[in-house]
Amino acid sequence: MNAGATGRPLAAPQLKLEIACDLTGRSHIAGRRVSWPWSLSRGFHQHGRQGPITVLPQAAAGLLPGDSWRHDLTLAPQAKLRMIEAGATAVHGGGSAPGRVGWRLRVAAGAVLALFAQPFVLLPGAALRQELALTLHPNATVVLCDGICLRDPADAGISWQSVLTDEREDGSKLFRDAQSVDGPALARLSELHGDARAFASVSVLAPEPVLGMLETSLRPVLAALEGYAACAPLRGGAGLALRIACPDGGALTRAMAAVQTALDQRLFS
C-alpha cells in the first residue's frame, strides 16, 4: 500500500468499483466498496446485455471545507461502464481548507468508460480542488464530463482547480490538463460569455477512428447549445478537450444531457 508524506497509509476510497466482462460480453461489477457519503444501487444494462453496465451513485451530503472524497474505478479488458451521478453536489465555503475530490481511473484494452459527473454548485466562499489520474490502454475509450455552477459570479472568495493526468499502462506520460480559476477570473469569464454562471469540461480519449466518429457526433450538439462551446485536440493526439459556458445551471444541464445522448448513441447503440 502507498503511504502519504507522514508515513501513514492513504485512506481507502469512499467509492471503489471493479468492472469485468464475462465470456458472453456482459459487463458486471466484480468488486465494490461504497461508504459515506455515497450510496449505490445495483447496476443495470440500459443498452442491452453487451452494452455498458450503468451505475447511478448518489451523495448524501455536500462537500465541506477540508473534506476529501476519493474514488477508484478499474475496468478490465473489454468491460464497459457508464456512470452517471444522480444529482449535483454543493460545495460549501467558510473554511480554511478546500474541499478535495480525487478520481483514480484504470481502463484496460478495449474497455469503455463514460463518467458523467453532475456539476458542482459553488456556494459563497467555496474552494474546490479536483484531481483525476487516468491510466489508459491505447485501445481503450474514456469520456469524462464535469462542471461547476456559480451562485454568485461576483463572489471573489470562490476558487476552483482541476487537474487531469493521463498515462499509459507502462507508465509513460501522455498529457496533463490543468485548469484553475478564482472568483475575479470567473467574473470576467461570465462577462465575456453573456453573464455565464455555469461551466463544463468534457475530455474524450479514444483511438482512431473512434475519436473521429465521436467528434463528428459532438460538433452539431456544441453548435446548438445555449451559450459558448470550444473543442480542441489534446496533446499528442490523445483525444479532444471541450469547454462549455452557459448562462445558468439549467442551460448547462440541458447542454450536458445533449452531449451525453450524442456520446451514448455513438459508443453504445
Side-chain angles (χ1 to χ4, degrees), residues 60-234:
L63 187 69
L64 298 175
D67 278 355
S68 178
W69 292 3
R70 297 164 304 282
H71 317 81
D72 191 309
L73 305 179
T74 300
L75 275 66
Q78 308 303 320
K80 299 179 178 68
L81 172 63
R82 182 172 171 265
M83 177 178 284
I84 305 172
E85 288 186 14
T89 298
V91 182
H92 297 270
S96 58
R100 297 185 179 276
V101 176
W103 291 88
R104 183 70 180 93
L105 312 170
R106 304 172 186 85
V107 188
V112 180
L113 168 62
L115 175 57
F116 300 108
Q118 296 296 322
F120 291 99
V121 180
L122 301 186
L123 301 180
L128 174 62
R129 305 290 182 268
Q130 178 173 258
E131 295 184 5
L132 302 98
L134 172 63
T135 300
L136 182 69
H137 188 275
N139 291 326
T141 298
V142 172
V143 174
L144 305 174
C145 303
D146 72 323
I148 56 173
C149 297
L150 311 180
R151 291 286 294 271
D152 180 5
D155 181 7
I158 61 176
S159 66
W160 171 78
Q161 294 179 7
S162 182
V163 178
L164 167 62
T165 56
D166 183 17
E167 66 180 21
R168 293 299 190 205
E169 292 177 324
D170 63 2
S172 58
K173 309 298 182 183
L174 284 177
F175 68 87
R176 182 177 186 271
D177 183 13
Q179 304 175 69
S180 178
V181 289
D182 57 12
L186 285 169
R188 292 193 297 271
L189 189 61
S190 299
E191 294 172 359
L192 286 173
H193 300 303
D195 295 326
R197 295 185 178 213
F199 309 91
S201 175
V202 182
S203 300
V204 181
L205 302 102
E208 289 289 357
V210 176
L211 186 60
M213 293 189 297
L214 294 176
E215 182 178 8
T216 300
S217 299
L218 286 171
R219 288 200 177 276
V221 174
L222 300 180
L225 62 78
E226 305 168 59
Y228 167 85
C231 179
L234 288 167

Side-chain angles (χ1 to χ4, degrees), residues 13-22 26-34 40 43 45 53 55 71-83 103-108 111-113:
Q14 292 96 334
L15 177 60
K16 181 176 182 179
L17 291 178
E18 298 174 9
I19 309 299
C21 183
D22 65 23
R26 181 177 182 271
S27 296
H28 61 278
I29 299 175
R32 58 179 280 167
R33 180 186 185 277
V34 182
L40 183 69
H45 291 82
I53 184 168
V55 298
H71 317 81
D72 191 309
L73 305 179
T74 300
L75 275 66
Q78 308 303 320
K80 299 179 178 68
L81 172 63
R82 182 172 171 265
M83 177 178 284
W103 291 88
R104 183 70 180 93
L105 312 170
R106 304 172 186 85
V107 188
V112 180
L113 168 62

